[in-house]
Amino acid sequence: MPYDPSAFPPFAVTVDLVVLTVRRHSLCALAVRRGEPPFQGRWALPGGFVRAGEDLAQAAARELAEETGLCVHDPAAPTQDNGAHLEQLATYGDPERDPRMRVVSVAHLALAPDLPAPRAGGDASSARWAPVEELLEQSGYGHAGEAVAPLAFDHAQILADGVERARSKIEYSSLATAFCPPEFTVGELRRVYEAVWSVALDPRNFHRKVTGTPGFLVPTGGTTTRQGGRPAQLFRAGGATLLNPPMLRPEV
């Protein structure tokens, strides 16, 4: 029998983005307020439908730029401004996840250094950085005093999965440096780990671990006083992608 595409129910494919950064020593995610149905007025993760001719990575990069003004980090340009690390997270295909039609979403995780307030675009009426704990709350009030409502669609689950991916991945990879500027201090890197893991780390023990892990950090030869106090040595990310030994997450 010849293949008949009309014999199968149609469905759409979207990309959703878990965009994480560290702001004011807190792990924050990018949220957009939906400007149209469904879930009009509710906060959601940025994302949208995959266009004909796009692959998934291209769609994710386009949505990131359109809805937030952020661009994807180019590995060939390590000092690229506003560059976000982007990787595929997971696929979500519950038949009831979108009231419009059957929609399968391929979620992506994006990590970026401390960034200014994003700009909204596409079908988003506004955009903001919010602490992940606030976005995952199901009741109460946020920092701005507005009542907290669950994220639209199944975005709370997607966000929780993205946060756990980031928390586990910085244990064994150099991904924590994606939250840092091109040149950073050990103290600034420690605050990334503390924000992502929601723990306090011993500064001396942390310094010994990260500077003793082969290929993790490379001294730049410079120093900075931007954190106050004595000049602190500046580092950049080394060539290692896997950390040996790993940075194990403290048990809390």
Side-chain angles (χ1 to χ4, degrees), residues 18-24 26-32 43 64 68 70 84 110-119 127-132 134-135 143:
V18 178
V19 187
L20 301 178
T21 194
V22 174
R23 291 173 61 83
R24 301 180 183 91
S26 178
L27 181 64
C28 296
L30 186 64
V32 296
W43 291 100
L64 187 67
T68 70
L70 303 177
L111 308 178
D114 184 15
L115 295 168
R119 60 175 173 81
R128 67 179 178 126
W129 295 108
V132 295
E134 179 181 320
L135 291 175
H143 288 180

Side-chain angles (χ1 to χ4, degrees), residues 48-70:
F49 289 93
V50 178
R51 296 174 179 172
E54 280 184 324
D55 64 26
L56 295 172
Q58 290 170 336
R62 174 181 54 78
E63 286 291 340
L64 187 67
E66 287 181 355
E67 296 208 24
T68 70
L70 303 177

Side-chain angles (χ1 to χ4, degrees), residues 186 190 201-212 247:
V186 169
R190 187 187 78 251
L201 300 173
D202 178 74
R204 291 187 178 181
N205 192 36
F206 181 85
H207 190 285
R208 177 181 58 80
K209 286 183 177 180
V210 297
T211 57
M247 299 286 296

Side-chain angles (χ1 to χ4, degrees), residues 156-244:
Q157 182 62 57
I158 298 175
L159 174 60
D161 292 346
V163 169
E164 181 54 35
R165 166 75 70 85
R167 286 174 173 166
S168 62
K169 199 163 183 179
I170 65 173
E171 289 188 275
Y172 63 85
S173 79
S174 59
L175 193 62
T177 59
F179 289 106
C180 296
E183 295 186 355
F184 51 88
T185 68
V186 169
E188 290 168 338
L189 181 62
R190 187 187 78 251
R191 282 184 280 275
V192 166
Y193 275 90
E194 290 177 331
V196 175
W197 284 344
S198 296
V199 298
L201 300 173
D202 178 74
R204 291 187 178 181
N205 192 36
F206 181 85
H207 190 285
R208 177 181 58 80
K209 286 183 177 180
V210 297
T211 57
T213 300
F216 191 8
L217 304 181
V218 176
T220 66
T223 60
T224 181
T225 57
R226 61 181 175 235
Q227 298 300 314
R230 297 169 56 186
Q233 188 176 9
L234 285 169
F235 294 84
R236 59 177 175 81
T241 55
L242 297 178
L243 303 182
N244 186 20

